[in-house]
Amino acid sequence: MAAAGAPDGMEEPGMDTEAETVATEAPARPVNCLEAEAAAGAAAEDSGAARGSLQPAPAQPPGDPAAQASVSNGEDAGGGAGRELVDLKIIWNKTKHDVKFPLDSTGSELKQKIHSITGLPPAMQKVMYKGLVPEDKTLREIKVTSGAKIMVVGSTINDVLAVNTPKDAAQQDAKAEENKKEPLCRQKQHRKVLDKGKPEDVMPSVKGAQRLPTVPLSGMYNKSGGKVRLTFKLEQDQLWIGTKERTEKLPMGSIKNVVSEPIEGHEDYHMMAFQLGPTEASYYWVYWVPTQYVDAIKDTVLGKWQYF
């Protein structure tokens, strides 16, 4: 008995659709093991990348330099933020340096700044503003104002190492030879001035070295027996030699040497000469200089240091 079915010449519903579906699908291809592993690995990487993109970026730790803007306005790192600054003109070796520096920094910190600018070690610096700048006081305490000129005297390590040893030996020999000579105060050219006696208005002498006074050194004699005064203009790096007739304004860098000797019988006073040219013939002599100022005058004019 034949099974019931659709009449001849007629198709059952859905047969065309199934045929088309089968016809359009590509025949399945066998997948080997290597391709299966590669596909699984790629899927894992895509999943991991998706999870990573959803995680927030790590926060910068507090104080991390990379998270902070660095702004420089000319002062040392960490030395000027929120601190009152003053404009200074630092003068060393005839060169001027314009610097902004915290007003509440000490003289010792100023020396460190000068070292960074000039290469001059702090131990070899003599820093002057109306006299020597104390290392333990602030610029505010010594009344430094904006636009102030800071004078610096001293030699770098290279300058010291460049000294010609044979030349030093020759100078020492010459000095030893001079010591054998008659004392200066007994020589005729000086005796005629010293025989006039100590001037009545000469500044008093005291024991112990002192800094230069803020007023001119006065009441002394020059080689001709006339009155002379010495004024040290530190901010201008000049020595003023004044007489009744005129005042000579000499750059300290132009003075080649300073020599002195105690006056016999009056050892609390010295006779002193400033060498203005290449030879001893250019000495400008000053008599009755108070002994407490002798070293300060030499250091101020020459800016020389001794190493032991």
Side-chain angles (χ1 to χ4, degrees), residues 162-185:
V163 173
N164 190 334
T165 303
K167 182 179 179 180
D168 280 351
Q171 290 176 344
Q172 291 176 1
D173 291 343
K175 186 175 182 180
E177 189 65 27
E178 286 181 3
N179 291 337
K180 297 178 183 178
K181 296 180 180 178
E182 184 180 25
L184 292 172
C185 59

Side-chain angles (χ1 to χ4, degrees), residues 96-292:
K96 292 183 181 180
H97 304 273
D98 293 323
V99 173
K100 287 184 181 294
F101 199 69
L103 187 58
D104 291 312
S105 293
T106 63
S108 178
E109 291 171 324
L110 178 58
K111 284 189 172 184
Q112 292 293 339
K113 180 66 175 179
I114 294 171
H115 179 210
S116 70
I117 296 172
T118 65
L120 188 64
M124 299 183 189
Q125 296 177 22
K126 183 169 62 175
V127 182
M128 292 174 287
Y129 173 75
K130 298 180 180 179
L132 287 175
V133 174
E135 292 192 357
D136 57 344
K137 292 186 178 295
T138 66
L139 304 191
R140 189 188 299 276
E141 289 175 322
I142 62 175
K143 304 186 185 307
V144 173
T145 57
S146 191
K149 294 180 180 178
I150 306 296
M151 305 299 303
V152 182
V153 179
S155 301
T156 65
I157 293 293
N158 290 337
D159 292 337
V160 174
L161 296 177
V163 173
N164 190 334
T165 303
K167 182 179 179 180
D168 280 351
Q171 290 176 344
Q172 291 176 1
D173 291 343
K175 186 175 182 180
E177 189 65 27
E178 286 181 3
N179 291 337
K180 297 178 183 178
K181 296 180 180 178
E182 184 180 25
L184 292 172
C185 59
R186 295 183 187 177
Q187 295 178 13
K188 184 177 179 180
Q189 59 173 330
H190 305 300
R191 193 72 260 167
K192 64 181 182 180
V193 179
L194 296 175
D195 284 345
K196 295 178 65 174
K198 184 172 70 173
E200 294 182 358
D201 57 344
V202 72
M203 297 181 71
S205 176
V206 296
K207 292 183 178 180
Q210 294 185 8
R211 297 168 56 181
L212 291 176
T214 56
V215 297
L217 290 174
S218 60
M220 301 167 291
Y221 289 140
N222 60 16
K223 193 173 181 179
S224 62
K227 287 296 182 66
V228 65
R229 64 184 177 277
L230 302 177
T231 306
F232 297 88
K233 295 289 186 178
L234 300 182
E235 294 187 359
Q236 301 175 30
D237 197 28
Q238 291 181 345
L239 167 62
W240 291 10
I241 301 178
T243 63
K244 184 178 179 181
E245 293 77 20
R246 65 178 183 274
T247 298
E248 296 285 347
K249 300 180 180 180
L250 306 173
M252 291 191 191
S254 69
I255 300 174
K256 311 299 182 185
N257 197 13
V258 180
V259 297
S260 70
E261 181 181 290
I263 298 174
E264 196 171 41
H266 300 273
E267 282 73 15
D268 49 349
Y269 287 91
H270 280 230
M271 49 188 295
M272 176 176 286
F274 301 94
Q275 185 176 339
L276 308 182
T279 66
E280 293 184 7
S282 65
Y283 278 0
Y284 187 98
W285 285 98
V286 179
Y287 303 86
W288 302 101
V289 178
T291 187
Q292 70 266 26

Side-chain angles (χ1 to χ4, degrees), residues 16-65:
D16 288 345
T17 304
E18 291 177 2
E20 289 174 359
T21 301
V22 172
T24 56
E25 287 182 351
R29 181 174 62 84
V31 179
N32 60 37
C33 294
L34 294 178
E35 289 176 333
E37 290 178 0
E45 290 180 0
D46 291 344
S47 175
R51 287 196 303 272
S53 64
L54 297 176
Q55 294 179 356
Q60 293 281 0
D64 188 348

